[in-house]
Amino acid sequence: GIQVEQSPPDLILQEGANSTLRCNFSDSVNNLQWFHQNPWGQLINLFYIPSGTKQNGRLSATTVATERYSLLYISSSQTTDSGVYFCAVGTGGSYIPTFGRGTSLIVHP
Amino acid sequence: NAGVMQNPRHLVRRRGQEARLRCSPMKGHSHVYWYRQLPEEGLKFMVYLQKENIIDESGMPKERFSAEFPKEGPSILRIQQVVRGDSAAYFCASSLSGAEAFFGQGTRLTVV
């Protein structure tokens, strides 16, 4: 099956810093999502982005499907951004999200 | 529009008992997915269902685990004769047309 690798595995930031999270995948995809799992365990949809660029406030994402990667940008990070960020991809006719292992982000005040 | 609803949020079972986890998808969604998450790990796919049909159960253990999504009512993930290794967070997701998936808040199963 498709392999999804996320980097870095861990990230520690001071409030106000910017960061870039990366998701590499081993095959062509027709679905890609970014999620934030907050410290209470809830999975929050950030972006549905099989290709192109999207922005939502301080967050933006870019997927370059032909080169098999996606990037999540967090600007002016806040303590509430802490948690684990997951990339999930799907390929083929049926979208079954396959998750990477995530990037664990801690933002210090 | 209510999100994906899972219940119970927390479930404690003794070894050998049965666990039933429920998932009500978002309104109008006919695709349901179940995932398991162990501490400090990502989400592992278990099963993908559409109304009354199991589409893909390649991630489901062959014994003790079953899932259904009946014509009426929530999707059910059933674990028979639970063991301590079944302790985990179980997440359900739904989608409208097999594209963007939305997750519930999960059920934390503890086997004692």
Side-chain angles (χ1 to χ4, degrees), chain B residues 2 7 20 22 30 38 44 52 66 70 73 77 82 86 89 101 109:
Chain B
N7 66 82
R20 280 183 178 245
R22 294 175 183 77
S30 61
L38 295 172
K44 303 295 186 188
E52 300 185 273
S66 63
L77 179 67
V82 296
D86 297 332
L109 172 66

Side-chain angles (χ1 to χ4, degrees), chain B residues 42-73:
Chain B
L43 280 79
K44 303 295 186 188
F45 167 73
M46 298 181 74
V47 62
Y48 168 36
L49 310 102
Q50 293 183 25
K51 280 289 187 181
E52 300 185 273
N53 291 304
I54 296 175
I55 306 302
D56 187 322
E57 56 182 349
S58 58
M60 192 94 101
K62 293 291 185 288
E63 298 180 351
R64 302 189 297 107
F65 285 73
S66 63
E68 63 177 8
F69 187 18
K71 185 176 180 180
E72 301 291 338

Side-chain angles (χ1 to χ4, degrees), chain A:
Chain A
I2 192 167
Q3 304 298 312
V4 183
E5 293 187 2
Q6 291 188 242
S7 59
D10 302 281
L11 189 56
I12 299 175
L13 300 174
Q14 286 296 127
E15 203 167 25
N18 303 327
S19 60
T20 301
L21 283 59
R22 187 177 181 100
C23 172
N24 291 333
F25 37 93
S26 61
D27 202 351
S28 301
V29 300
N30 49 18
N31 289 283
L32 189 146
Q33 290 185 254
W34 282 97
F35 297 91
H36 174 215
Q37 187 168 39
N38 65 22
W40 295 271
Q42 186 177 3
L43 279 158
I44 299 163
N45 285 40
L46 297 178
F47 295 102
Y48 175 73
I49 187 168
S51 63
T53 297
K54 291 186 177 180
Q55 182 160 4
N56 183 5
R58 295 182 297 105
L59 303 181
S60 64
T62 295
T63 296
V64 184
T66 54
E67 297 187 20
R68 300 182 184 174
Y69 73 89
S70 183
L71 301 174
L72 177 69
Y73 304 97
I74 305 174
S75 64
S76 304
S77 58
Q78 300 176 358
T79 56
T80 52
D81 295 332
S82 296
V84 182
Y85 290 80
F86 289 105
C87 167
V89 304
T91 186
S94 295
Y95 175 38
I96 298 176
T98 298
F99 281 76
R101 294 182 63 87
T103 292
S104 176
L105 173 65
I106 298 174
V107 180
H108 289 301

